Coordinates of all heavy atoms in Angstrom, one line a residue:
C28 N 29.2 29.0 15.3 CA 28.4 29.9 14.4 C 27.1 30.2 15.1 O 26.9 29.7 16.2 CB 28.2 29.3 13.0 SG 27.1 27.9 13.0
L29 N 26.3 30.9 14.4 CA 25.2 31.5 15.2 C 23.8 30.9 15.0 O 22.9 31.6 15.0 CB 25.2 33.0 14.9 CG 26.5 33.7 15.1 CD1 26.6 35.1 14.6 CD2 26.8 33.6 16.6
L30 N 23.8 29.6 14.9 CA 22.5 28.9 14.7 C 21.9 28.8 16.0 O 22.5 28.5 17.0 CB 22.7 27.6 14.1 CG 23.3 27.5 12.6 CD1 23.4 26.1 12.2 CD2 22.4 28.3 11.7
T31 N 20.6 29.0 16.0 CA 19.8 28.8 17.2 C 19.6 27.3 17.4 O 19.8 26.5 16.4 CB 18.4 29.4 17.1 OG1 17.7 28.7 16.1 CG2 18.5 30.9 16.9
D32 N 19.2 26.9 18.5 CA 18.9 25.4 18.7 C 17.9 24.9 17.7 O 18.1 23.8 17.2 CB 18.4 25.2 20.1 CG 19.5 25.2 21.2 OD1 20.7 25.3 20.7 OD2 19.2 25.1 22.4
E33 N 16.9 25.7 17.4 CA 15.9 25.2 16.5 C 16.5 25.1 15.1 O 16.3 24.1 14.4 CB 14.7 26.2 16.5 CG 13.6 25.5 15.8 CD 12.4 26.4 15.5 OE1 12.4 27.6 16.1 OE2 11.5 26.0 14.7
Q34 N 17.3 26.0 14.7 CA 17.9 25.9 13.4 C 18.8 24.7 13.3 O 18.9 24.0 12.3 CB 18.7 27.2 13.1 CG 17.8 28.4 12.8 CD 18.6 29.7 12.7 OE1 19.6 29.9 13.5 NE2 18.3 30.6 11.9
E35 N 19.5 24.5 14.4 CA 20.4 23.4 14.5 C 19.6 22.1 14.3 O 20.0 21.2 13.6 CB 21.1 23.4 15.8 CG 22.3 22.5 15.9 CD 23.4 23.0 15.1 OE1 24.0 24.1 15.3 OE2 23.7 22.2 14.1
Y36 N 18.6 22.1 15.0 CA 17.7 20.9 15.0 C 17.2 20.6 13.6 O 17.2 19.5 13.0 CB 16.5 21.1 16.0 CG 15.5 20.0 15.9 CD1 15.6 18.8 16.6 CD2 14.4 20.1 15.1 CE1 14.7 17.8 16.5 CE2 13.4 19.1 14.9 CZ 13.6 18.0 15.6 OH 12.6 17.0 15.5
L37 N 16.7 21.7 13.0 CA 16.2 21.5 11.6 C 17.3 21.1 10.6 O 17.0 20.3 9.7 CB 15.5 22.8 11.1 CG 14.3 23.2 11.9 CD1 13.7 24.6 11.5 CD2 13.2 22.1 11.7
R38 N 18.4 21.6 10.8 CA 19.5 21.2 9.9 C 19.9 19.7 10.1 O 20.0 19.0 9.1 CB 20.8 22.1 10.3 CG 21.7 22.1 9.1 CD 22.8 23.1 9.3 NE 23.7 22.7 10.3 CZ 24.9 23.2 10.4 NH1 25.3 24.2 9.6 NH2 25.7 22.8 11.4
A39 N 19.9 19.3 11.3 CA 20.2 17.9 11.6 C 19.0 17.0 11.0 O 19.2 16.0 10.4 CB 20.3 17.6 13.1
Q40 N 17.8 17.5 11.2 CA 16.7 16.8 10.6 C 16.7 16.7 9.1 O 16.5 15.6 8.5 CB 15.4 17.5 11.1 CG 14.1 16.8 10.6 CD 12.9 17.5 11.2 OE1 12.6 18.6 10.8 NE2 12.3 16.8 12.1
G41 N 17.1 17.8 8.5 CA 17.2 17.8 7.0 C 18.2 16.8 6.6 O 18.0 16.1 5.6
K42 N 19.3 16.7 7.3 CA 20.4 15.7 6.9 C 19.8 14.3 7.0 O 20.1 13.4 6.2 CB 21.6 15.8 7.8 CG 22.5 16.9 7.4 CD 23.5 17.2 8.5 CE 24.9 16.6 8.1 NZ 26.0 17.1 9.0
L43 N 19.1 14.0 8.1 CA 18.6 12.6 8.2 C 17.6 12.3 7.1 O 17.6 11.2 6.6 CB 17.9 12.5 9.6 CG 18.9 12.7 10.8 CD1 18.1 12.8 12.1 CD2 19.8 11.5 10.9
I44 N 16.8 13.2 6.8 CA 15.8 13.0 5.7 C 16.5 12.7 4.4 O 16.2 11.8 3.7 CB 14.8 14.2 5.6 CG1 13.9 14.2 6.9 CG2 13.9 14.0 4.4 CD1 13.1 15.5 7.0
R45 N 17.5 13.6 4.1 CA 18.2 13.4 2.8 C 18.9 12.1 2.8 O 19.0 11.4 1.8 CB 19.1 14.6 2.5 CG 18.3 15.8 2.1 CD 19.1 16.9 1.6 NE 20.0 17.5 2.6 CZ 19.7 18.4 3.5 NH1 18.4 19.0 3.4 NH2 20.5 18.9 4.4
A46 N 19.5 11.7 4.0 CA 20.2 10.4 4.0 C 19.3 9.3 3.8 O 19.6 8.3 3.1 CB 20.9 10.3 5.4
A47 N 18.1 9.4 4.4 CA 17.1 8.3 4.2 C 16.7 8.2 2.7 O 16.6 7.1 2.1 CB 15.9 8.5 5.1
K48 N 16.5 9.3 2.1 CA 16.2 9.3 0.7 C 17.3 8.7 -0.2 O 17.0 7.8 -1.1 CB 15.8 10.7 0.2 CG 14.5 11.2 0.7 CD 14.3 12.7 0.4 CE 13.9 13.0 -1.0 NZ 13.4 14.3 -1.2
R49 N 18.5 9.1 0.1 CA 19.6 8.5 -0.7 C 19.7 7.0 -0.5 O 19.9 6.3 -1.5 CB 20.9 9.2 -0.2 CG 21.2 10.5 -0.9 CD 22.6 11.0 -0.6 NE 22.5 12.5 -0.7 CZ 22.4 13.3 0.3 NH1 22.5 12.9 1.5 NH2 22.3 14.6 0.0
A50 N 19.5 6.6 0.7 CA 19.7 5.2 1.0 C 18.5 4.4 0.3 O 18.7 3.3 -0.2 CB 19.7 4.9 2.5
A51 N 17.3 5.0 0.3 CA 16.2 4.2 -0.2 C 16.1 4.2 -1.7 O 15.6 3.3 -2.3 CB 14.9 4.8 0.4
R52 N 16.7 5.3 -2.3 CA 16.6 5.3 -3.8 C 18.0 5.8 -4.3 O 18.1 7.0 -4.7 CB 15.6 6.3 -4.3 CG 14.1 6.0 -3.8 CD 13.6 4.8 -4.5 NE 13.5 4.9 -6.0 CZ 12.5 5.4 -6.7 NH1 11.5 5.9 -6.1 NH2 12.5 5.5 -8.0
S53 N 19.0 5.0 -4.2 CA 20.3 5.4 -4.5 C 20.5 5.9 -6.0 O 21.4 6.6 -6.3 CB 21.4 4.3 -4.2 OG 21.2 3.3 -5.1
E54 N 19.5 5.5 -6.8 CA 19.6 5.8 -8.2 C 19.2 7.3 -8.4 O 19.4 7.8 -9.5 CB 18.8 4.9 -9.1 CG 17.3 5.1 -9.0 CD 16.6 4.4 -7.8 OE1 17.2 4.1 -6.8 OE2 15.3 4.3 -7.9
L55 N 18.6 7.9 -7.4 CA 18.1 9.3 -7.6 C 19.0 10.2 -6.8 O 19.1 10.0 -5.6 CB 16.7 9.4 -7.1 CG 15.6 8.6 -7.9 CD1 14.2 8.8 -7.2 CD2 15.6 9.0 -9.3
S56 N 19.5 11.2 -7.5 CA 20.2 12.2 -6.7 C 19.3 13.2 -6.0 O 18.4 13.8 -6.7 CB 21.2 13.0 -7.7 OG 21.5 14.2 -7.1
V57 N 19.5 13.4 -4.8 CA 18.6 14.3 -4.0 C 19.0 15.7 -4.4 O 18.1 16.6 -4.7 CB 18.8 14.1 -2.5 CG1 18.0 15.1 -1.7 CG2 18.4 12.7 -2.1
S58 N 20.3 16.0 -4.4 CA 20.7 17.4 -4.6 C 20.4 17.9 -6.0 O 20.1 19.1 -6.2 CB 22.2 17.6 -4.3 OG 22.9 16.6 -5.0
R59 N 20.4 17.0 -7.0 CA 20.1 17.4 -8.4 C 18.6 17.4 -8.7 O 18.2 17.6 -9.8 CB 20.8 16.5 -9.4 CG 22.3 16.8 -9.4 CD 23.0 16.3 -10.7 NE 22.9 14.8 -10.8 CZ 23.8 14.0 -10.2 NH1 24.8 14.5 -9.5 NH2 23.7 12.7 -10.3
G60 N 17.8 17.2 -7.6 CA 16.3 17.3 -7.8 C 15.7 16.1 -8.6 O 14.6 16.2 -9.1
E61 N 16.4 15.0 -8.6 CA 15.9 13.9 -9.4 C 14.7 13.2 -8.7 O 14.0 12.5 -9.4 CB 17.0 12.8 -9.6 CG 18.0 13.4 -10.6 CD 19.2 12.4 -10.9 OE1 19.2 11.3 -10.3 OE2 20.1 12.8 -11.6
W62 N 14.4 13.5 -7.5 CA 13.2 13.0 -6.9 C 12.0 13.6 -7.5 O 10.9 13.2 -7.2 CB 13.3 13.2 -5.4 CG 14.0 12.1 -4.7 CD1 15.4 11.9 -4.8 CD2 13.5 11.1 -3.8 NE1 15.7 10.8 -4.0 CE2 14.6 10.3 -3.4 CE3 12.3 10.7 -3.3 CZ2 14.5 9.2 -2.6 CZ3 12.1 9.7 -2.5 CH2 13.2 8.9 -2.1
R63 N 12.2 14.8 -8.2 CA 11.0 15.4 -8.8 C 11.1 15.5 -10.3 O 10.5 16.3 -10.9 CB 10.9 16.9 -8.3 CG 11.1 17.1 -6.9 CD 11.0 18.6 -6.6 NE 12.2 18.8 -5.9 CZ 12.7 20.0 -5.6 NH1 12.2 21.1 -6.1 NH2 13.8 20.1 -4.9
K64 N 12.0 14.7 -10.8 CA 12.3 14.9 -12.3 C 11.0 14.6 -13.2 O 10.9 15.2 -14.2 CB 13.4 13.9 -12.7 CG 13.1 12.5 -12.7 CD 14.3 11.6 -13.1 CE 13.9 10.2 -12.9 NZ 15.1 9.3 -13.0
H65 N 10.1 13.8 -12.8 CA 8.9 13.6 -13.6 C 7.9 14.7 -13.4 O 7.0 14.8 -14.3 CB 8.2 12.3 -13.3 CG 9.1 11.1 -13.6 ND1 9.5 10.8 -14.8 CD2 9.6 10.1 -12.8 CE1 10.2 9.6 -14.8 NE2 10.3 9.2 -13.6
G66 N 7.9 15.4 -12.3 CA 7.0 16.4 -12.1 C 5.6 15.9 -11.8 O 4.6 16.5 -12.1
W67 N 5.5 14.7 -11.3 CA 4.1 14.1 -11.1 C 3.3 15.0 -10.2 O 2.1 15.0 -10.3 CB 4.2 12.7 -10.4 CG 4.9 11.6 -11.1 CD1 5.8 10.8 -10.6 CD2 4.8 11.2 -12.5 NE1 6.3 9.9 -11.5 CE2 5.7 10.1 -12.7 CE3 4.1 11.7 -13.6 CZ2 5.9 9.5 -13.9 CZ3 4.3 11.1 -14.8 CH2 5.1 10.0 -15.0
A68 N 3.9 15.7 -9.3 CA 3.2 16.5 -8.3 C 2.4 17.6 -9.1 O 1.4 18.2 -8.6 CB 4.1 17.2 -7.3
K69 N 2.9 17.9 -10.3 CA 2.2 19.0 -11.0 C 1.2 18.5 -12.0 O 0.6 19.2 -12.8 CB 3.3 19.8 -11.8 CG 4.4 20.3 -10.9 CD 4.6 21.8 -11.0 CE 5.3 22.4 -9.8 NZ 6.7 22.4 -10.0
T70 N 0.9 17.2 -12.0 CA 0.0 16.6 -12.9 C -1.3 16.3 -12.1 O -1.4 16.5 -10.9 CB 0.5 15.3 -13.4 OG1 0.5 14.3 -12.4 CG2 1.9 15.4 -14.0
D71 N -2.3 15.8 -12.8 CA -3.6 15.4 -12.2 C -3.6 13.9 -11.8 O -4.7 13.3 -11.7 CB -4.7 15.7 -13.2 CG -4.6 14.9 -14.4 OD1 -3.6 14.1 -14.6 OD2 -5.6 14.9 -15.2
V72 N -2.4 13.4 -11.5 CA -2.4 11.9 -11.3 C -3.2 11.5 -10.0 O -3.7 10.4 -9.9 CB -0.9 11.4 -11.1 CG1 -0.3 11.9 -9.9 CG2 -0.9 9.9 -11.2
L73 N -3.5 12.5 -9.1 CA -4.3 12.1 -8.0 C -5.8 12.4 -8.2 O -6.6 12.1 -7.3 CB -3.8 12.9 -6.7 CG -2.4 12.6 -6.3 CD1 -2.1 13.4 -5.0 CD2 -2.2 11.1 -6.0

Side-chain angles (χ1 to χ4, degrees):
C28 70
L29 304 170
L30 293 180
T31 63
D32 281 356
E33 196 191 346
Q34 287 168 324
E35 193 68 63
Y36 172 84
L37 292 175
R38 200 167 73 160
Q40 180 172 69
K42 276 171 106 169
L43 295 170
I44 292 169
R45 287 190 293 275
K48 288 173 72 168
R49 278 188 204 103
R52 301 288 302 273
S53 65
E54 76 279 16
L55 297 179
S56 159
V57 177
S58 52
R59 288 200 294 276
E61 289 177 3
W62 277 68
R63 316 174 231 165
K64 66 180 176 194
H65 294 298
W67 301 134
K69 306 232 160 90
T70 68
D71 63 354
V72 69
L73 296 182

